[in-house]
């Protein structure tokens, strides 16, 4: 057919297109007639050689290089209409083919545009299977938007930090199209579905599994993969197209299982460890201040302790490996027979306390903190660790019931705690996490302070300083 006949056939009027057509890829075998004024590379170079975007007919088809109106413009419109000449199934097939080409070139957004155009313009006039294929292809393009892409060009940013650039996948759009594919009616009913129908279903299930995995809906992804494997077992040639993604999903499920098991184990250790510590403090003669509740729940033990201070704790040197906080949360393997689960130490295990030393008669009065006072350590060693002379200071403690106990330097912390805890009495943790000892200079001034302080303790007066 010569050019005049082609143009005559193309002048048949067609209804206007309601949706703008996505741009076609530039034709690499044609010379562009576009050029920028500055001689820079034109991003739209080559588009004017595509019939849809031509402004004039090329000279080898009887036109001129620049548009001059008249018959040349009419001929151009007729040539552009050729793209949409034919049956709806042919137009849809052509748009799908161009979308597939763009998909192969990794131009996924452009491919989505062509698949959408085919569905919008021809969807009411093509068969169910053709629509299922277009939906499935568009789902694939939306899915591939989540694959690693080339990083954007930022010339002014120093190339010191390399961050992988990943476009988030449009998983929601993928699943919407997959839902259309899987819910479409079977044209051949009551006859069994065709091989093409089953092949599209298999692709849809695979893409569904990938999208669900991307959304971390792992159980649903495994369900899609199970259905896919069952379907492929009935297809000629069998196969297992979901093998790779199944391995990915199973790996994610295992990581999720481990994470949940570790979280549960941490909660168990906190719960049982706190219960054991409360038991140990009670046996040692230590009293806890009244604890406020938050929304009806008691605060965690030692929750007021500053983060840079270790609250009362069991002596780590007296613990067995499986009683240490650093004990692995889970066994190294599911079949490990040597792993011993964590258990809190016995309540009689030696304790270590942070302890305040108050010197109310010093100039100025001071309140210093000893970070660790072991229940087996003496008060003389405690004073020496605080750089004080045990021979010049007399130490006292106040109990919950208002008693003031004089403490000898040779006594251990454990023995003094036991004496303070007699008859339901006890030594209270100040601020909920530290013991408090009062040191008074030996002499008359110290004795005067002591008399007044004893009266205050009996009256329940709070802090000295």
């Amino acid at each position: 057919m010569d050019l005049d006949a082609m143009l005559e056939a193309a002048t048949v009027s067609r209804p206007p297109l309601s949706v703008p057509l996505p741009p076609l890829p530039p034709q690499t075998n044609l010379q562009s007639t576009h050029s920028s004024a500055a001689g820079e590379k034109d991003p739209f170079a080559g588009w004017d050689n595509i019939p849809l975007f031509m402004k004039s007919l090329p000279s080898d088809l009887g036109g001129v290089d620049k548009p001059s109106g008249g018959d040349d413009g009419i001929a151009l419109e007729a040539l552009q209409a050729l793209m949409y000449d034919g049956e709806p199934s042919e137009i849809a097939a052509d748009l799908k083919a161009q979308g597939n080409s763009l998909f192969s070139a990794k131009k996924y957004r452009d491919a989505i545009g062509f698949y959408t155009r085919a569905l919008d313009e021809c969807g009411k006039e093509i068969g169910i299977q053709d629509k299922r294929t277009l939906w499935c292809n568009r789902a694939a393009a939306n899915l591939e938007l989540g694959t690693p892409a080339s990083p954007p060009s930022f010339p002014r940013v120093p190339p010191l930090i390399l961050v992988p650039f990943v476009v988030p996948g449009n998983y929601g759009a993928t699943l919407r199209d997959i839902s259309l594919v899987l819910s479409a009616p079977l044209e051949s009913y009551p006859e069994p579905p065709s091989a093409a129908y089953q092949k599209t279903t298999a692709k849809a299930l695979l893409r569904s599994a990938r999208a669900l995995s991307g959304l971390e809906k792992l159980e649903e992804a495994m369900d899609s993969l199970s259905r896919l494997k069952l379907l492929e077992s009935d297809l000629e040639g069998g196969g297992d197209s979901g093998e790779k993604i199944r391995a990915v999903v199973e790996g994610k499920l295992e990581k999720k299982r481990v994470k949940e098991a570790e979280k549960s184990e941490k909660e168990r250790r906190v719960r049982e460890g706190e219960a054991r510590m409360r038991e140990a403090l009670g046996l040692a003669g230590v009293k806890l201040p009244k604890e406020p509740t938050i929304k009806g729940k008691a605060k965690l033990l030692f929750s007021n302790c500053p983060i840079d201070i270790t609250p009362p704790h069991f002596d780590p040197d007296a613990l067995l490996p499986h009683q240490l906080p650093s004990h692995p949360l889970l066994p190294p393997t599911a079949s490990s027979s040597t792993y011993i689960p964590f258990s809190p130490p016995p309540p009689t295990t030696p304790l270590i306390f942070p302890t305040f030393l108050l010197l109310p008669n010093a100039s100025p009065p001071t309140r210093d903190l000893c970070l660790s006072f072991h229940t087996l350590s003496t008060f003389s060693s405690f004073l020496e660790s605080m750089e004080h002379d045990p021979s010049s200071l007399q130490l006292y403690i106040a109990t919950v019931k208002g008693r003031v106990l004089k403490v000898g330097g040779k006594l251990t912390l454990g023995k003094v705690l036991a004496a303070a805890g007699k008859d339901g009495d006890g030594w209270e943790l100040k601020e909920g996490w530290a013991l408090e000892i009062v040191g008074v200079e030996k002499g008359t001034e110290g004795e005067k302070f002591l008399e007044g302080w004893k009266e205050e303790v009996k009256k329940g007066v709070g802090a000295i300083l």
Side-chain angles (χ1 to χ4, degrees), residues 4 39 61 66 145 149 193 199 229 239-240 295 320 345 347 388 398:
D4 292 336
L61 293 179
K66 295 183 179 180
L145 290 177
K199 184 177 180 181
K229 190 171 184 180
D240 186 8
K295 294 182 179 180
L320 297 174
H388 290 289

Side-chain angles (χ1 to χ4, degrees), residues 78-419:
L79 182 61
Q80 290 175 340
L82 283 174
M83 181 177 179
Y84 301 101
D85 189 36
E87 296 296 324
S89 59
E90 295 175 352
I91 297 173
D94 182 57
L95 290 169
K96 184 186 76 172
Q98 294 181 68
N100 291 348
S101 296
L102 288 166
F103 184 94
S104 299
K106 298 184 179 181
K107 297 181 179 179
Y108 304 119
R109 294 190 186 276
D110 293 336
I112 290 169
F114 276 93
Y115 298 138
T116 301
R117 184 59 181 273
L119 287 162
D120 290 346
E121 294 299 323
C122 309
K124 295 181 180 180
E125 303 174 76
I126 60 178
I128 291 294
Q129 181 53 34
D130 290 334
K131 287 194 287 186
R132 293 178 83 241
T133 301
L134 288 167
W135 287 325
C136 201
N137 286 7
R138 188 168 64 180
N142 274 303
L143 184 62
E144 291 303 324
L145 290 177
T147 58
S150 300
S153 177
F154 300 113
R156 295 185 180 182
V157 178
L160 299 177
I161 303 176
L162 299 178
V163 180
F165 179 69
V166 177
V167 181
N170 197 349
Y171 301 127
T174 297
L175 293 173
R176 284 193 292 273
D177 276 340
I178 293 303
S179 177
L180 293 172
V181 173
L182 299 179
S183 62
L186 180 61
E187 287 182 310
S188 62
Y189 184 82
E191 298 297 323
S194 65
Y197 186 97
Q198 295 288 60
K199 184 177 180 181
T200 302
T201 301
K203 289 180 179 180
L205 289 171
L206 178 61
R207 289 160 191 172
S208 171
R210 289 182 58 192
L212 290 167
S213 175
L215 293 171
E216 299 301 318
K217 296 184 177 181
L218 304 178
E219 289 76 12
E220 292 92 331
M222 286 301 296
D223 178 67
S224 291
L225 290 168
S226 297
R227 293 168 61 190
L228 172 61
K229 190 171 184 180
L230 181 63
L231 174 63
E232 289 183 330
S233 66
D234 294 333
L235 293 178
E236 185 177 353
D240 186 8
S241 60
E243 182 179 5
K244 290 184 179 180
I245 185 64
R246 185 181 298 106
V248 171
V249 175
E250 288 175 347
K252 286 185 175 182
L253 282 170
E254 177 61 17
K255 287 182 179 179
K256 181 181 178 181
R257 184 198 66 79
V258 170
K259 186 176 181 180
E260 291 176 349
E262 289 180 342
K263 179 183 177 182
S264 177
E265 174 64 11
K266 287 178 181 179
E267 292 173 350
R268 181 186 75 85
R269 292 188 182 189
V270 170
R271 185 172 59 254
E272 294 184 3
E274 181 170 313
R276 185 58 52 86
M277 176 56 69
R278 289 179 183 275
E279 183 182 0
L281 292 175
L283 289 176
V286 177
K287 294 290 185 179
L288 292 169
K290 185 177 180 181
E291 300 172 344
T293 59
I294 300 177
K295 294 182 179 180
K297 294 183 179 181
K299 294 174 66 176
L300 290 175
L301 191 63
F302 312 134
S303 58
N304 293 331
C305 184
I307 59 173
D308 57 341
I309 296 174
T310 304
H313 57 283
F314 294 108
D315 179 9
D317 293 334
L319 304 182
L320 297 174
H322 67 277
Q323 297 170 342
L324 292 167
S326 59
H327 187 60
L329 293 171
L330 301 174
T333 61
S335 59
S336 178
S337 59
T338 59
Y339 178 80
I340 302 176
F342 171 87
S343 63
T348 54
T349 305
L351 294 164
I352 298 176
F353 293 87
T355 306
F356 286 112
L357 173 62
L358 274 69
L359 301 178
N361 288 344
S363 182
T366 62
R367 188 184 194 224
D368 298 323
L369 177 66
C370 173
L371 294 177
S372 59
F373 191 4
H374 199 290
T375 50
L376 299 181
S377 297
T378 64
F379 281 82
S380 292
S381 63
F382 165 76
L383 285 174
E384 289 171 354
S385 69
M386 302 285 287
E387 298 183 352
H388 290 289
D389 182 7
S391 63
S392 62
L393 279 178
Q394 180 59 58
L395 300 180
Y396 298 88
I397 67 167
T399 68
V400 172
K401 291 186 176 183
R403 293 188 298 155
V404 174
L405 303 182
K406 183 177 181 180
V407 178
K410 294 183 179 180
L411 293 175
T412 64
L413 174 60
K415 289 183 178 181
V416 173
L417 283 170

